[in-house]
Amino acid sequence: METGGLEWLLVPMQQLVSWGAAGAMVFGGVVPYIPQYRDIRRTQNAEGFSTYVCLVLLVANILRILFWFGRRFESPLLWQSIIMIITMLLMLKLCTEVRVSNELNIKRRSFAAADSKDEEIKAPPKRSYLDFDLNYFWHWSKFTDYVQCVLTFTCVTGYITYLWLDSSLFVETLGFLAVFTEAMLGVPQLYRNYQNRSTEGMSVKMVLMWTSGDTFKTVYFILNQAPFQFSICGLLQVFVDIAILLQVYLYSYYPQKPVSHTAHPASTKAL
């Protein structure tokens, strides 16, 4: 009777823990960006945040969703990707609005063909299909340009996946690319901090949440026997997070040559 009573209690507890872990996987990934989003909105300065982080996460999660069609992994990981894509688009929208409002007489840069209504263009507009100048890629002036780029990438990769979905080699490679790209999440921020010799403007809370979240996620992958690509790249992601935290320590206790922030010149690089 005692054993039966314990089982009656343990089964619901195990179910609750399972639901809690699944919920943490779905929504835990977006939590680190809440303090960064609030900081940018409060200060109206996106200088310290690299929007290439958004690019990395958008690519990684689009590829992960496509990987799901070839190899059905747990649904919480699929929902996590959907929620993360929405979150990154919101971050991009805010950062673009802030950057444009802080820069006067900025020349219109777009992903698609130039708009004939651009105020800065005095000469007859020259129509070009795409603006793939590496100096301005992902530095566009309107949020809609980022949406167009994401949709184009999704359609192209989706079509390729549809054609090769029966190839196990392609599917496994797609899965590896998805999680490896996500593992590189912190690299743009790591490089940006190195360039500035400072972590000013970057939310340390965000990086701490990255580290704890990535650690939890990696343990979750291992315990739930997720595809091996997830576990390997999860460990790599934790190492990158730790490297950024080391930058926070080094640049706080051993300040480097200060970087001029007059008129927020670095905001163009970040966005």
Side-chain angles (χ1 to χ4, degrees):
M1 291 293 294
E2 184 177 353
T3 303
L6 288 175
E7 288 181 355
W8 179 83
L9 179 63
L10 288 175
V11 171
M13 288 296 293
Q14 290 174 348
Q15 191 66 47
L16 285 175
V17 171
S18 178
W19 288 345
M25 283 301 301
V26 173
F27 297 103
V30 306
V31 172
Y33 299 96
I34 295 175
Q36 184 71 72
Y37 186 94
R38 294 178 64 183
D39 286 346
I40 293 173
R41 179 174 286 278
R42 176 176 55 83
T43 63
Q44 289 297 296
N45 180 12
E47 180 181 334
F49 177 72
S50 173
T51 53
Y52 283 109
V53 168
C54 300
L55 174 61
V56 169
L57 276 175
L58 285 169
V59 170
N61 284 282
I62 290 170
L63 293 179
R64 186 196 284 186
I65 291 173
L66 295 176
F67 177 51
W68 182 84
F69 287 99
R71 184 173 176 182
R72 301 297 174 88
F73 47 81
E74 288 193 328
S75 56
L77 299 180
L78 177 64
W79 280 106
Q80 180 197 43
S81 293
I82 296 172
I83 297 297
M84 184 61 74
I85 288 172
I86 295 172
T87 302
M88 289 302 100
L89 290 175
L90 290 175
M91 287 292 295
L92 275 176
K93 186 175 187 297
L94 175 63
C95 290
T96 305
E97 291 173 352
V98 168
R99 177 176 66 88
V100 172
S101 66
N102 287 339
E103 296 180 350
L104 302 176
N105 299 321
I106 183 172
K107 184 176 180 180
R108 171 84 163 93
R109 296 290 177 181
S110 62
F111 171 74
D115 189 348
S116 60
K117 296 180 180 180
D118 291 346
E119 297 179 358
E120 294 79 10
I121 301 178
K122 304 302 181 182
K126 296 181 179 180
R127 304 293 291 183
S128 59
Y129 180 58
L130 295 177
D131 180 4
F132 274 128
D133 186 340
L134 291 179
N135 293 322
Y136 298 103
F137 179 78
W138 211 249
H139 298 168
W140 300 309
S141 308
K142 289 185 177 179
F143 172 66
T144 52
D145 292 307
Y146 293 94
V147 175
Q148 290 173 16
C149 180
V150 171
L151 288 176
T152 300
F153 176 79
T154 303
C155 291
V156 172
T157 53
Y159 181 67
I160 294 173
T161 302
Y162 174 76
L163 294 178
W164 291 88
L165 199 58
D166 293 331
S167 170
S168 59
L169 177 61
F170 174 82
V171 171
E172 293 300 326
T173 302
L174 183 65
F176 175 77
L177 288 176
V179 292
F180 181 75
T181 303
E182 186 175 359
M184 296 295 100
L185 165 64
V187 173
Q189 192 67 56
L190 186 74
Y191 181 66
R192 179 169 183 76
N193 296 341
Y194 173 76
Q195 277 188 317
N196 292 343
R197 300 295 193 275
S198 170
T199 57
E200 182 182 356
M202 181 196 74
S203 172
V204 178
K205 290 180 181 179
M206 178 185 72
V207 181
L208 287 171
M209 290 180 182
W210 274 357
T211 308
S212 58
D214 292 338
T215 302
F216 170 80
K217 182 171 61 178
T218 303
V219 173
Y220 182 91
F221 292 156
I222 295 172
L223 293 180
N224 287 275
Q225 298 180 339
F228 75 95
Q229 299 102 320
F230 285 70
S231 301
I232 294 174
C233 293
L235 290 171
L236 178 58
Q237 200 166 354
V238 172
F239 290 143
V240 174
D241 295 340
I242 293 173
I244 295 177
L245 289 176
L246 286 175
Q247 284 183 323
V248 174
Y249 172 79
L250 290 174
Y251 295 147
S252 297
Y253 290 92
Y254 304 96
Q256 307 294 309
K257 183 178 179 180
V259 179
S260 175
H261 298 296
T262 305
H264 308 301
S267 59
T268 302
K269 295 180 181 178
L271 303 173

